[in-house]
Amino acid sequence: MSTSSQKSGAINRRVDGLQNNGTRPREDSRSQKRPITHNDAYMYALRVAYLVYLLQPQARRMQYISTPPPVIQRSSSSINDLMKDFSLLRDSKSTRFPHGFMSELEKRLTGVIMGKEKKPEFNDATIKRTFAAFFNAFTEQGFKKRMEKDRRVEDLVLIFFSNATKELQKGKAPSDDTWKLMVDRHVALFIRLVSLILKDHDWSRDRPELASRLSTLESKLLAHDQDLATQSSSNGGGGSTVEVVVPRSHEVKDMPLVQVVARIFGLTNTQIQSDIDKNRSSWTAEAALRDLKTYQTLLNLNSRKTLRSDDFDLEEAYEAWKKAEGPELSQMMLAIMKSNPDLAKSKSRNSLPQFSSLASSSEASDSGYSDSPRKTSVSDGSFYAVDQPVDMGALASIDYQPDLVQDEANPFTFIPPEPRGCYRLILAQALAYDLRDNSLQASEATKDAPATRLLSKSSTDLLSEICLRWRIPQGSRIVLFLDVIREKFIEQEISLDTLDEAFNFIKEPVADTRKNPGFMSPLPLDRASWTLLDFALNQQVLMALHDALLRDLYDIALQCYESKPPSVGPIIYVLENHIYDDPTFPKTPEDLDAFSQQLREGLRDKAFVMYKEYLEKHLPQDQRSWEFFHVIELGKAVMTLAQRIQKRYRKNPEIMGVNPLSALVETILPLYAEDARDIVARILQLTEQKGEEVPIEDGFDLYRELVEIRQIHAEALPRVPFAFHIEDLLANFVWRWISMTESSIPNWVDGAVKQDDFKVRTESVGQVPSEDERHSVSVIDIFSSFNQAIDRIVQLNWDNDLQYAKFMTALAKIVGIGIARYCEVVEQKFTKEMDRLTPEQEATASQTRQEKWMQLAKDAWSNKEKIEPFQFFPESFVKLNNIEFATRQLDKVEREVNVDACVEVIERNSPPLNQRQRKVNNYVFSIKIVEAEDLKACDMNGLSDPYVVLGDEYQKRLAKTRIIYGNLNPRWDETVDITTQGPLNIIATVWDWDALGEHDCVGRTSIKLDPSHFGDFMPREYWLDLDTQGRLLLRVSMEGERDDIQFYFGKAFRMLRRTERDMTRIITDKLSAYISHCLSRRALRSLLSKGITMSSVSSYFNRNRPAPPSQAPTQAEITDALKPLFTYFDDNFVIMNQTLTSAAMVMVMTRLWKEVLVTIESLMVPPLSDKPSQQRQLNQQEVDVVFKWLQLLFDFFHAVDEETGEANGVPLDVLRSPKYFEIKTLNFFYFDSTENLIRTSERMASATAARQQAQRNRQSAPASLSFGGAAGLLAMQSTRRSKSIMLSRNLGTMKQAKEEKRKEAQADPNDDMILRILRMRPEAERYLRDRSRQKERLAAAAAAELIVKQSIMAGGGRMMGSLPRR
């Protein structure tokens, strides 16, 4: 246990004994003492106030005396000698400037410089110049900051002396020393200005030592000259001024503290003057000195007139008090004698200690008198404070019993018989007066203590003097002050703020008590220095205040649910910071628990009353008129009350351990929850009986209100469940809203498209649109509708994850429906615009049959190929921009919905797979025959007229497509539905239509339709390799949908991508004819023959004859040959670039680049086939031209800016596609010998077969390692081109799949290019036939093996009885 704790415990034990027994530990005569009257307090207060007047320094005035002119001294004073008096007291705070002095000095210096100083001696121009020089140095930040910290006189005077010397010495001859006297005069004038500032702000009264030393320094500086203030009035005559003492008037108007006594006791100055005149003969300084000597004698004799050791708990405390009391008494007696030197002459000097010894002793320096603001000025500059508070012992309220002093009456003149009681009465009187005074001036705030309005400065000065003269201890001053405050607070004469101010008044920390006068010092932390009586009284005061504050707190706390209740903060603050924080407070925590429990019960009763009032106000009596609105209004009322209480008590949630919000919600929230459940159920029942429906918006509003209340319920009552599950009760409103939204989606889309003109959204005609302005308003409108629908559910903050995930799944389906409808409508409009006839085609359509034949004959004879650029509409490109913008917006929606989290929640709450099965009898497959690539050429012109026939494994025809004439890369986009009861093998055969004879078989392939592989209802795309060459793209899906949010988003993304791809293909198809025209063999021969000649015309009939060698064309000629194509591109790109977005533009250019690569490839090699080709092989010169064309086109599509070096076209990774690298590799094999080509082909074929076998082995691995699903149905190379909705559910997965496909294509080289070169070598005919048969056998074996393996993995049978619902 600490020392302070031991002391506090001992004090408590002594006080308990004092309180319990009702008697003091020593004898006293309390029963005999005479009550203190109002007049007694007044008379003794008046005596102290009058004594202060007698001891204050007498006023002085200047008197002019004519004297002979003095002999002018030509020597100046040494500034170091003059400042020696200050230097000797360097560490004394009495000679430092007060706080705030520097700012006032700066203002007065400014006034002198500006000529605004009223004193005439400061108006001289030389003086202003000197002061201006000092002002510059004074306002320097470093010096000013240092002065505000140290506040030493010598520093300020020395700086002024230095600047005055420099300024007055300017322009003087070295032999001229007259300026030295001027320096003394200017320094003296500066010191006078400093003295005036101290006097004007009443600082000279607080620092008489400083004022005296400044006056002495000024006199010494003027030793060689007259007073500066009287120079002008003396007119050059002889004379001087001397300082004379003004006699005391003994009038009340000259006694400030006496006037204070008159005010607080309600007397007039005349009455006060009468009492002073009557007692002036006995109220003398000599009587005050005699009181002090008597008190000192009693103290030394251990008389009961003073405090004794029995009055303290610890002997050490008594000894400390007594030890400090002696030097203080000596100081006070010395001060009286210094103010009245005649008293010193009549007394022996040995009767009092010398001032010098006291001033230098540690006791004197610690007493608190060395830096007092009030001093008595004497001739030698010494000083003494008479009103500084000290922590000394004082007279206790003990009856006087004659001990060594035999006078039975009061032995003192200025000290009353009962100092403690008399002081309390005066304190109460002064406090009552100041509290009634509306014009009360607060005490001055200092750096260490704030201003207070409890007592005026004049009352504080009076009480300080009384405590000092009557030797009232600091503990007694504090406790008596609190006792008076307690009495007035209980009687409601003062407010709670005043009570708080009173505690702060006694607690404010003061760094140095000698620097801050007052009638009490801060509340000591160590109460062991107090007397037992003070300790006991302090406990009684705290207990009485505590009980009164708790009564007020209870009354105010019960009003906390009102709209504008009074604040409990001030009461809590006073209790916590002033009552409970006091170590002497006797209450225990157990005593406070009873109050907390009582307050808690009171608050609950009040909350119940409040809820009943709300229920009666917001709920009708008739149940048939009940509506959700009433439940909402009741909930809002409850919420408003709870929120108001929560906000009101956010920072301090508890009142004496009781939470008003908890008491409120513990009472009203369970009541409201039960009532809301019953009312809502009753409303729904009555509505159903009427055959009506509650409006959806009412359900949403009710949900929001109930959820908000439930949140507060959960926070306040975490262990108490809410009365019912809100989501289960109101989920039907959300499903009704979703159903309504789904039915409205087609109308939303049709309306948005109908109002859209599909133009860029620029502010003015001709303005170049920005990227964000290149799509029209329809796509913005539909996604605004989508986002509003999603936000509507999100803003509900639905607190059931499973239900919320299902809501989002349903909304994803709605978004997918809207996207599909928008793509369908926009693509129809786009196709209609792109399929329109050109003017030439319209003219041809109007010709007769005979005119058409004549025109064809003319065109054939003139070898004319009319290739006209297609005139695109800007609206068509805007539609493509809309699809691209919709893709980005859908990706944003997918991220905001948090699809993965929804899937996880649904999967976590779904039953096991074996419980999610349903019986299925028939399956309907939708097969879309999309397109084919690199088909075998079956006609003499190197082309084919393909169509597709689908049949089953029993050779039954199921479907047939239309014929695409003259094309090796046809696109059909036709769909057929096939119904089956189990797995079915489909065989697709591509035929070449011939006008005469039988149709040729271009190639065959097969696919197995197994319902078990389509249990997720996801459509799939398959690139099926034909048994000859080329491949066929089929898009297969099974009827039905997977109720999965990822599925719906994937379906929407895929629809957008498919529409975007189809529209891009249509655009590029309009340009592909001219690409083929410019990159044809005819154009190549024209370039090599350097112009059109008869031979070039006749070569049309000899196309396959080798061209004669000619001189190689220059680079410029090669470039010029492509200028028409570049111009054609530029003409079309201009309108594209003005309308298409950057992404759409790159997409179109990428597609065009693919067309260019296919055209160049067909220029160099024939299509893949097992028959020799009639196409001749290009010579070296032609190949060089073709590769230069390829490089020029590469640079054109890359579009690098020559100035910035920035690529604005197709990215390099797209330009350098697998097809591009295949063409580049032609240069390695093109002119190789047939034998080498055959050997290379055989080597690559072996490597390819080994790689495919390894791939089949991986596919035959256990199910945990296989691809699973439909991926296993693909033929040898079909896996790399397969597509899935789940892989298209957002832009990230789509980009990843595309990158993987590109890498796989680059890592899978084959010998197709070599075989195509060998087709132009007649000697390789046999090898081509054998190689083709080998590929057919390998493909058939691989397909059969995969079908068998997949059948085994699927369950080993064709018929399946159940379909998993994934």
Side-chain angles (χ1 to χ4, degrees), residues 11 91 156 182 538 556 561 571 593 912 952 1053 1174 1207 1249 1352:
I11 293 174
D91 296 330
L156 197 64
M182 292 297 295
N538 183 64
I556 294 177
Y561 300 143
I571 298 180
D593 291 341
D952 60 11
F1053 271 112
Q1174 299 298 321
I1352 296 175

Side-chain angles (χ1 to χ4, degrees), residues 36-43 264-265 425 429:
I36 302 173
T37 64
H38 183 273
N39 187 63
D40 293 339
Y42 155 68
M43 290 300 297
I264 65 176
F265 284 96
L425 198 154
Q429 193 73 18

Side-chain angles (χ1 to χ4, degrees), residues 880-1071:
L880 181 58
N881 292 339
N882 286 358
I883 299 300
E884 186 270 333
F885 177 78
T887 304
R888 289 189 282 112
Q889 290 298 307
L890 184 62
D891 186 68
K892 182 179 179 181
V893 171
E894 193 265 351
R895 291 195 306 269
E896 293 177 351
V897 169
N898 198 356
V899 170
D900 295 337
C902 293
V903 172
E904 181 183 356
V905 170
I906 293 177
E907 289 292 335
R908 187 170 60 246
N909 293 275
S910 298
L913 289 176
N914 55 4
Q915 300 179 13
R916 288 182 283 166
Q917 296 182 352
R918 62 183 177 89
K919 297 294 182 180
V920 177
N921 296 323
N922 296 320
Y923 308 97
V924 180
F925 286 91
S926 295
I927 302 177
K928 184 174 184 180
I929 304 169
V930 183
E931 61 179 336
E933 286 186 355
D934 299 332
L935 295 181
K936 180 176 68 174
C938 298
D939 295 338
M940 295 297 294
N941 61 358
L943 301 174
S944 296
D945 304 320
Y947 65 93
V948 179
V949 175
L950 297 182
D952 60 11
E953 54 191 343
Y954 304 107
Q955 298 182 357
K956 179 182 178 181
R957 175 180 289 191
L958 301 175
K960 175 181 175 295
T961 67
R962 71 183 186 277
I963 301 171
I964 304 296
Y965 296 97
N967 200 325
L968 298 180
N969 299 285
R971 183 177 184 88
W972 294 280
D973 285 328
E974 295 185 14
T975 304
V976 61
D977 291 338
I978 299 176
T979 304
T980 180
Q981 295 183 346
L984 178 66
N985 290 322
I986 298 296
I987 299 175
T989 305
V990 182
W991 296 92
D992 172 56
W993 178 86
D994 286 329
L996 299 175
E998 296 183 356
H999 299 179
D1000 298 326
C1001 179
V1002 179
R1004 288 186 178 87
T1005 187
S1006 63
I1007 182 173
K1008 183 178 182 179
L1009 303 181
D1010 193 338
S1012 64
H1013 298 157
F1014 293 85
D1016 55 2
F1017 302 102
M1018 295 188 303
R1020 294 170 172 81
E1021 291 184 352
Y1022 302 99
W1023 280 100
L1024 304 177
D1025 291 334
L1026 300 178
D1027 55 358
T1028 54
Q1029 77 173 51
R1031 51 189 175 180
L1032 179 67
L1033 175 61
L1034 299 182
R1035 187 174 296 139
V1036 183
S1037 63
M1038 191 171 68
E1039 185 177 330
E1041 290 186 341
R1042 173 182 174 182
D1043 191 18
D1044 182 87
I1045 189 171
Q1046 290 180 336
F1047 171 83
Y1048 293 131
F1049 272 106
K1051 185 176 180 180
F1053 271 112
R1054 184 166 169 178
M1055 176 61 69
L1056 288 171
R1057 280 302 191 191
R1058 184 179 299 165
T1059 304
E1060 187 178 60
R1061 184 184 60 192
D1062 293 344
M1063 294 170 69
T1064 304
R1065 182 188 295 274
I1066 294 174
I1067 293 174
T1068 56
D1069 286 345
K1070 299 299 181 181
L1071 307 179

